[in-house]
Amino acid sequence: MTGICDGRVVAVTGAGRGLGRAHALAFAAEGARLVVNDLGTGLDGTPDPDSPAAQVAEEIRAAGGQAVPHGGDIATTDGAASLVRTALETYGRLDTLVNNAGFLRDRMLVNLDEDDWDAVVRVHLTGHFLPLKHAAAHWRAEAKAGRPPVARIVNTSSGAGLLGSVGQANYSAAKAGILALTLVAAAELARYGVQVNAIAPAARTRMTEQVFAESMTAPDTGFDPMSPHNVSPLVVWLGSEASAGVTGRVFEAEGGRITVMNGWRRGPTAEKHARWTPQDAGKTARKLTEQTDPPEPVYGEQL
C-alpha cells in the first residue's frame, strides 16, 4: 500500500526533535524520501554536541524508508543552498519544503537584549526565507525548462504570531513575519507550480514543555492532545499533491482540532473627501472600534 506522498522528496528543517521529527516520520510513513535537517542546537540556539538529524534519518531507514541527514545552518545562504543541493544530489529532485527550525530566548521587552532579538528573528524568519528562496529558485528553473513542478512549502508560524505572546516579543514578531512571507510567496510562486501555506501549531515540544507540562492523555482513549504527532497529518497533506488548490492559507493545528485562520480583513470604515483634523480622526477611530469585536487577548495577558 502506497501513501499520499509516495515518491516525493521532502526536506524538513529542525527535524531532529519535536514537531520536525514528527513531521519527518509522518512523511516517511506516507512514502516520502527525506532530507532531515537539524543543526543540533540547544533551546537557546547554542551548539549541541549530539546533533539528532542522523538519529532521525537512521530511525526512518530502520523502518524501511529513505532519509539522509543534513546538519547545515539554514539561516545562512550556504546552509540553505546546501539543503536543496542535498535533496537534488541524493534523490534527483525536491518536491516539498517544510520550514520548522527555531528556538526561544524569552524576555520581557524591557529586558530583551538586541542579541536575543536578532538571534530569534534570524533562526525563525531568515531561517524560513533562505530555504524558501533557494527551493523556489530551483522550481522556477524547472518550470522554465518545461518541467513544471508540483511543489509545496509548509511554513511554521505560531499562535504568538497570530495574537502575540507576553514575554516573547522577538518570537511573536518573527512568527508574524512568517505569515506575511507565506502570503507573498504563495502569490509570487503560483505561476511556477508552487503552493505555500503555513501552520500555527500547538504541541508539547522542548520549547513548550513548561507550558504543556501535564500529559493530558485521556485514560479511556490514550489520546494525548499535546503530542506533536497530532499536527503532522495536516502538514503531510499540505505537502502532498492531494492539497492541490490550497495555497496562501494559515491553519491552526492542535490535538484533534484544525482551524482555518481568516487573518486581517477590513472592518468598519469611515471616509470623507477631505483631510481629517486630529480631533475628528480620533472621534471617528473611536466610533469605528466600537462597531467591531475587540481583539483576541494576547497569550499571557492579565485580563
Side-chain angles (χ1 to χ4, degrees), residues 43-231:
L43 281 175
D44 63 353
T46 55
D48 187 331
D50 299 317
S51 176
Q55 297 174 25
V56 175
E58 176 56 33
E59 186 175 357
I60 291 171
R61 290 193 295 266
Q66 298 183 55
V68 293
H70 177 267
D73 182 354
I74 46 78
T76 66
T77 294
D78 289 346
S82 72
L83 176 71
V84 175
R85 187 167 60 248
T86 297
L88 299 179
E89 291 178 351
T90 305
Y91 304 115
R93 61 187 297 133
L94 175 64
D95 301 292
T96 297
L97 168 66
V98 179
N99 286 313
N100 170 79
F103 56 75
L104 297 175
R105 292 190 184 178
D106 293 351
R107 301 284 191 279
M108 299 299 281
L109 267 171
V110 296
N111 297 319
L112 184 60
D113 293 334
E114 184 177 354
D115 288 346
D116 292 331
W117 173 274
D118 290 343
V120 169
V121 170
R122 175 186 180 275
V123 69
H124 288 280
L125 191 52
T126 306
H128 270 63
F129 160 63
L130 287 174
L132 187 159
K133 173 186 176 179
H134 286 279
H138 164 68
W139 289 323
R140 181 182 65 175
E142 288 291 287
K144 289 186 173 182
R147 299 183 295 271
V150 182
R152 305 287 188 262
I153 298 173
V154 184
N155 292 330
T156 306
S157 183
S158 168
L162 294 165
L163 302 175
S165 179
V166 171
Q168 293 187 311
N170 47 4
Y171 179 72
S172 297
K175 288 303 191 183
I178 288 168
L179 297 175
L181 176 63
T182 298
L183 301 181
V184 172
E188 290 187 358
L189 302 180
R191 71 189 72 179
Y192 306 122
V194 184
Q195 292 184 182
V196 189
N197 293 284
I199 61 165
R204 188 191 309 103
T205 67
R206 288 194 307 160
M207 294 201 306
T208 61
E209 60 187 358
Q210 292 183 338
V211 178
F212 304 127
E214 298 299 324
S215 173
M216 297 172 59
T217 300
D220 51 341
T221 65
F223 177 63
D224 178 1
M226 289 295 104
S227 169
H229 294 278
N230 299 329
V231 177

